[in-house]
Amino acid sequence: MKKVFGLLTAVGLMTAPLAQASTVTVSGSTSVAHVMEVLAENYQNNTNTNTSVEVQSTGSSAGIRAAKDGTSMIGMSSRNVKDNELNSDTKEVVIARDGIAAAVNNANPVKNLTQEQISKIYRGEIKNWSQVGGESRPIVVVTRENGSGTRGAFEEIMKLQRTINGHKVTAISPTAQVGNGNGMIKTIVANNPYAIGYISLGSVDSSLRAIDVDGVAATDDNIVTGDYQIARPFIVLIDKNAPDNANNFIEYILSEDGQNIVAEEGYIRVQ
């Protein structure tokens, strides 16, 4: 299990002064936090900067807001950032790329689904595994919470949004179970042979199985070539006038050492 470094309480993040020369505050996407905590540990232990990095998992939307309003030096997002979520002083930096895996229980015999089938499962139009080559059992649909970058990216890629009165809303079935974070989704799916969920590809382990989509395996190589299409960027956001220590940490993430860590943790390097 990876050690979580410097987790802040929400209250502490809102009130802690950001100008401390020795501390970099980072908050946002739980998916990005998975690799960010490892990057922070290595940065603290293997550089001579005398800088600590505090990482808080709050969700992509909260991380974007924190970077915009200055309550965090660096925000993390695992979905594309909308123009109206930024201000003129906010800079976006892609630090890695990641696939989103449609994951099922290891006992599930279904090995492949099309994007259309997955979309219909999440819309509630396909309700039984027998409709997609599995057992005659009801499908237990598991989704992420509102505000999750993984959910936002999944809905956008899988066309799981609809427009009502000019506003985009989710098209995911209201009967879907909701899990906060990749860890909870994994736990639900790993303990229910009839569940399906979606998680960061870098979080897939032996407790569950990523299915092929349109006959293409969810692998780094297939994401790089574009053959596996359920993929998204990992983005950090920083104010153009941020302290040097925050910019230095981002430079480390983009360095060869930082990108090697990105790859070791199962994500796709950008440098």
Side-chain angles (χ1 to χ4, degrees), residues 121-122 124 126 139-143 172-173 175-178 194-197:
I121 287 171
Y122 273 87
I126 293 177
I139 300 173
V140 178
V141 179
V142 188
T143 187
I172 291 178
S173 170
T175 63
Q177 293 187 26
V178 178
Y194 308 112
I196 183 171

Side-chain angles (χ1 to χ4, degrees), residues 65-244:
R65 288 193 300 271
K68 182 179 179 179
D69 62 26
T71 56
S72 185
M73 290 181 181
I74 298 172
M76 302 179 289
S77 176
S78 56
R79 62 167 172 82
N80 289 314
V81 183
K82 303 169 187 175
D83 289 342
N84 62 6
E85 293 180 300
L86 301 174
N87 58 40
S88 59
D89 291 327
T90 309
K91 179 173 65 175
E92 295 180 64
V93 181
V94 177
I95 63 166
R97 297 193 182 278
D98 180 42
I100 300 176
V104 297
N105 187 278
N106 285 321
N108 193 322
V110 175
K111 307 294 184 185
N112 176 75
L113 291 171
T114 66
Q115 285 197 42
E116 182 180 9
Q117 287 173 326
I118 295 171
S119 180
K120 287 184 175 180
I121 287 171
Y122 273 87
R123 288 177 181 273
E125 297 169 9
I126 293 177
K127 298 178 180 292
N128 196 289
W129 283 111
S130 63
Q131 295 174 261
V132 290
E135 298 180 38
S136 182
R137 296 283 188 170
I139 300 173
V140 178
V141 179
V142 188
T143 187
R144 285 289 302 275
E145 75 282 5
N146 288 322
S148 156
T150 306
R151 176 168 177 159
F154 186 75
E155 288 185 355
E156 182 178 350
I157 296 167
M158 302 302 293
K159 297 180 172 57
L160 287 167
Q161 296 173 330
R162 51 199 174 99
T163 302
I164 297 179
N165 296 326
H167 298 282
K168 284 187 177 181
V169 298
T170 184
I172 291 178
S173 170
T175 63
Q177 293 187 26
V178 178
N180 293 323
N182 286 307
M184 185 174 291
I185 300 291
K186 287 167 64 174
T187 298
I188 294 171
V189 174
N191 287 283
N192 190 323
Y194 308 112
I196 183 171
Y198 55 88
I199 60 173
S200 166
L201 180 57
S203 296
V204 174
D205 58 26
S206 60
S207 68
L208 74 179
R209 177 169 49 82
I211 59 174
D212 296 352
V213 179
D214 292 319
V216 179
T219 66
D220 289 356
D221 288 345
N222 287 335
I223 292 170
V224 171
T225 62
D227 294 326
Y228 186 84
Q229 298 183 2
I230 311 178
R232 42 60 185 287
F234 276 4
I235 297 169
V236 295
L237 302 105
I238 185 170
D239 190 277
K240 293 176 182 176
N241 300 309
D244 288 343

